[in-house]
Amino acid sequence: MSASGAAIRSGDVPPRRRVSGGRLVVYLALAVTTIISVFPLYWLLLYAFTPTESSIKLPPDVLPVHFSFLNFQNLFSRAPLVWNWAANSLIIALSSTLFHIFFDTLAGYAFAKKRFPGRNLFFGMIISTLLIPPQVTLIPLYLLVRQFGLINNLWGVILPAFADVFGIFLMRQYIQTLPSELEEAARIDGCSEPGVFWRIILPLSKPAIAALAIFTFVRSWNAFLWPLIVLQRTQTYTLPVGVASLQEEFVINYGIIFAGAALAAVPMIVFFLLFQRYFIEGVRLGALKG
Amino acid sequence: MAETTLTKAGTQVVPQQNGIKRFVQRYGWSYVFIAPSMLVFVLFILIPAFSSLIVAFQDVKLRGESTWVGFDNFREAFTSQSGVFVRAIGNTLFYTVFTVTANVIFALIIAALIQPLGRRAQTFFRAAYYLPAVTSAVIIAVVWRWIFNAQWGLFNYLLGLVGLGPVGWISDPDVALASVTLSTVLTVPATGIVLFNAAMGGIPKDYYEAAELDGASPLRQWWSITIPLIRPVLLYVVVLYTIASFEVFDKVIVMVPTGVANSTETIVTQIYRTGFEQFRYGPAAAQSFVLFLIIAVIAVVQFRFLNSDVEY
């Protein structure tokens, strides 16, 4: 919506200011900020594919002139657990995403369309947890998860991450905008309540679900503090926790760390480039950290 | 809390047997639909939140009875290891003031610069700015650690070209906190740009046309039209970034794992060390509570300011 507004505005720029000096400065500033923005990622990929011997030198190579897979070979042979870490990250991210999609849509539907005693109270309760920063509940949550015997267990990461306001809020906002006629028609045709949810609400909510799924996936893939606390055995690490641990192990051989870091970063970069539209939409709808 | 309300609603209709039936028939599915979410919220946020108050006043033992210790944990939280937590609060404030100011101003300027561009150009720049935000802070910190490397890092190389340095970016206790702060200042604030960009797109363009007729410069238009009209979003972004900086942990622990003589300790790194390196759960919970108070104060300030609505 904002894009179309801007397009209109840029469309009727009076012809007298075609390529002014000001325009040039603007483009220059944007080019510089773009370089600053993507530079760390470029440096990451560059050093991941440059053998450590070639990267420890001055001046540093700015282009991949020593391109090789050596760092990755070293990573896989000297830190073979990296496969476990990747698998753990994937399991955590996928199951968190599936949970969020299903249960957030379910709750969002109830809060958006249904009238029932205590509705506002329950919704208010959920929203009020926004005021509690996750770091505040760190210690008691750890003691709780410990009591459940979920330390070193992926469920110890997946379950607490499921308590997150964003998804329910997003789904409620979206489902509120859906017309109620379809639900009512389905009900008249004898469709059960779960049937209405499964056949009508879920398919109609696809755009919001897409934004929610992408955000949840990226967030759980990148999560660090909580997995660091819960997953203490090396086999149970996620990629970010594992990469941080590589730092202590391979102080000199920095290429290995960069290869591990690239392994954690590249899937999300590809993911973003594929689904960019939904990301930006998600930020606008729910405004997340970044 | 959830249980009491449910039973309260239940007891109201207990007298008639088919009253319950009707109630379940009418509302049953609604409760079933919200039950899984409510359960995890109660279990993983509300109960821990309340028990954090308890833990903060207890000497927690993993085996055996925990005992009440009054304000001892708070005293210990602030005084142990010669008051490193006080230093951590100061460091976090330093980090927050500089990064939030820089990030918000940066976001305002960039959002205003990409606003007049065509649709495609806007999409391109938003993507370029957002790309690093989908990468884990740990990964970005790994790269920064190398950029800051005293011997082979990019910064010291560039300084060397003009005959300066070398600087111990993350090894010198006098510089390390500034370096961590600098790395965040040099991170393009993607969320802020996207939100400002959306808000600026909603401002009617006749305002700008009128201002242009009156001879207002683009800078003057930005200051007198754009900024006042996006104020609610502006304040929201300020609070968002402020809370995020108060919670800074990932990048600090990865870039400066040792904390170089406590010079880069932040509130959350202290909570982590107290709780999960030294296993002093009580003092760590007390430190968490202090963090909660600080963030609550910010939230109150936020609501004060956000109440002023802007009409377009």
Side-chain angles (χ1 to χ4, degrees):
Chain A
M1 38 188 181
S2 72
S4 64
I8 294 166
R9 206 188 304 156
S10 65
D12 51 27
V13 166
R16 65 188 157 78
R17 46 163 159 131
R18 257 168 299 165
V19 187
S20 62
R23 259 281 161 91
L24 209 66
V25 174
V26 166
Y27 272 105
L28 203 67
L30 290 177
V32 171
T33 47
T34 305
I35 291 170
I36 292 176
S37 173
V38 295
F39 178 78
L41 294 180
Y42 174 73
W43 214 240
L44 169 69
L45 294 177
L46 179 71
Y47 274 52
F49 289 102
T50 303
T52 313
E53 307 85 85
S54 314
S55 57
I56 305 186
K57 71 178 183 87
L58 294 175
D61 292 315
V62 185
L63 293 170
V65 283
H66 297 283
F67 186 90
S68 98
F69 287 99
L70 191 67
N71 291 332
F72 289 91
Q73 286 164 5
N74 283 338
L75 173 73
F76 297 142
S77 61
R78 295 178 59 183
L81 281 176
V82 73
W83 293 114
N84 294 36
W85 303 343
N88 294 338
S89 282
L90 197 65
I91 292 168
I92 289 174
L94 275 179
S95 37
S96 298
T97 307
L98 284 179
F99 272 152
H100 267 291
I101 291 176
F102 187 74
F103 291 114
D104 288 355
T105 314
L106 207 56
Y109 166 51
F111 284 125
K113 295 278 189 175
K114 299 204 161 291
R115 303 272 169 279
F116 53 91
R119 183 182 73 145
N120 291 338
L121 179 80
F122 288 129
F123 191 67
M125 218 167 85
I126 290 182
I127 292 297
S128 71
T129 59
L130 270 177
L131 289 173
I132 306 168
Q135 289 80 358
V136 169
T137 53
L138 215 55
I139 302 290
L141 191 59
Y142 171 77
L143 297 173
L144 187 78
V145 167
R146 209 187 139 92
Q147 236 165 33
F148 290 160
L150 292 179
I151 301 300
N152 287 320
N153 187 321
L154 299 189
W155 285 103
V157 176
I158 297 166
L159 287 178
F162 176 37
D164 182 58
V165 187
F166 169 70
I168 294 178
F169 190 72
L170 175 82
M171 293 319 296
R172 173 178 171 267
Q173 297 300 93
Y174 187 82
I175 293 170
Q176 265 177 346
T177 66
L178 298 176
S180 296
E181 284 84 6
L182 276 173
E183 297 163 50
E184 275 148 29
R187 247 171 237 135
I188 289 166
D189 288 347
C191 196
S192 65
E193 281 302 316
V196 170
F197 170 74
W198 190 255
R199 298 215 183 91
I200 311 285
I201 299 296
L202 215 51
L204 284 179
S205 309
K206 263 187 201 147
I209 288 178
L212 171 64
I214 284 165
F215 263 106
T216 315
F217 192 85
V218 172
R219 257 178 36 165
S220 36
W221 180 275
N222 289 340
F224 182 64
L225 177 55
W226 185 245
L228 176 73
I229 289 170
V230 175
L231 307 175
Q232 300 166 348
R233 240 187 303 135
T234 329
Q235 300 96 293
T236 62
Y237 284 176
T238 59
L239 272 176
V241 178
V243 169
S245 79
L246 288 179
Q247 283 215 125
E248 283 155 40
E249 205 175 327
F250 301 101
V251 186
I252 313 290
N253 199 338
Y254 225 77
I256 291 186
I257 304 166
F258 269 76
L263 210 64
V266 166
M268 292 306 103
I269 294 173
V270 173
F271 204 58
F272 173 75
L273 293 176
L274 288 176
F275 298 110
Q276 206 225 104
R277 193 160 59 93
Y278 296 106
F279 273 95
I280 305 295
E281 217 33 55
V283 178
R284 279 200 207 134
L285 286 168
L288 288 122
K289 293 170 197 167
Chain B
M1 227 158 114
E3 291 81 0
T4 48
T5 325
L6 267 175
T7 45
K8 209 173 83 193
T11 44
Q12 279 168 358
V13 283
V14 156
Q16 318 105 311
Q17 195 56 39
N18 60 350
I20 298 176
K21 219 173 178 179
R22 268 228 319 271
F23 184 89
V24 169
Q25 238 162 28
R26 258 180 88 181
Y27 305 120
W29 281 115
S30 303
Y31 292 118
V32 172
F33 287 174
I34 65 166
S37 301
M38 291 314 298
L39 186 73
V40 291
F41 271 96
V42 171
L43 195 60
F44 294 121
I45 298 190
L46 292 179
I47 290 179
F50 285 114
S51 57
S52 81
L53 277 177
I54 298 173
V55 174
F57 294 99
Q58 277 188 334
D59 179 17
V60 180
K61 300 213 175 61
L62 291 178
R63 289 188 185 77
E65 284 286 291
S66 302
T67 46
W68 295 94
V69 291
F71 281 91
D72 279 5
N73 286 332
F74 286 86
R75 209 172 300 131
E76 209 187 314
F78 279 100
T79 54
S80 67
Q81 293 173 303
S82 52
V84 57
F85 188 58
V86 178
R87 177 131 192 231
I89 294 177
N91 289 346
T92 311
L93 274 174
F94 175 92
Y95 176 83
T96 301
V97 167
F98 282 98
T99 59
V100 172
T101 312
N103 281 339
V104 170
I105 291 176
F106 210 17
L108 276 174
I109 294 172
I110 296 175
L113 289 183
I114 63 174
Q115 194 56 48
L117 302 179
R119 196 197 181 118
R120 275 203 177 162
Q122 282 199 37
T123 312
F124 169 80
F125 284 117
R126 273 197 310 243
Y129 298 143
Y130 206 79
L131 195 55
V134 301
T135 314
S136 148
V138 172
I139 306 306
I140 301 290
V142 164
V143 180
W144 274 104
R145 199 178 175 197
W146 187 245
I147 292 173
F148 282 140
N149 183 291
Q151 205 177 351
W152 308 110
L154 187 68
F155 275 14
N156 273 350
Y157 169 69
L158 293 176
L159 279 183
L161 288 184
V162 291
L164 293 171
V167 174
W169 294 97
I170 46 176
S171 50
D172 182 346
D174 292 334
V175 188
L177 180 63
S179 301
V180 174
T181 308
L182 179 69
S183 76
T184 305
V185 167
L186 287 179
T187 304
V188 175
T191 303
I193 294 174
V194 171
L195 290 176
F196 288 148
N197 185 246
M200 287 172 185
I203 301 175
K205 63 181 168 107
D206 11 329
Y207 290 19
Y208 294 98
E209 280 163 9
E212 202 151 330
L213 282 178
D214 291 342
S217 67
L219 199 66
R220 183 69 207 275
Q221 291 175 26
W222 181 75
W223 181 250
S224 301
I225 301 174
T226 311
I227 299 295
L229 285 181
I230 64 162
R231 219 181 101 195
V233 181
L234 175 62
L235 285 163
Y236 176 69
V237 170
V238 168
V239 172
L240 200 70
Y241 276 93
T242 308
I243 293 178
S245 352
F246 266 105
E247 294 172 357
V248 66
F249 172 80
D250 303 11
K251 67 181 312 174
V252 180
I253 212 87
V254 171
M255 274 168 67
V256 203
T258 58
V260 255
N262 296 333
S263 68
T264 58
E265 286 302 304
T266 66
I267 298 177
V268 180
T269 61
Q270 268 304 299
I271 296 173
Y272 175 76
R273 289 194 211 283
T274 312
F276 301 103
E277 283 181 359
Q278 300 154 9
F279 308 107
R280 294 155 56 220
Y281 297 117
Q287 291 171 339
S288 302
F289 190 71
V290 173
L291 175 67
F292 171 69
L293 284 184
I294 295 175
I295 289 179
V297 169
I298 295 169
V300 168
V301 173
Q302 162 196 27
F303 287 123
R304 273 265 176 84
F305 280 108
L306 278 178
N307 274 339
S308 57
D309 263 341
V310 174
E311 272 181 48
Y312 288 27

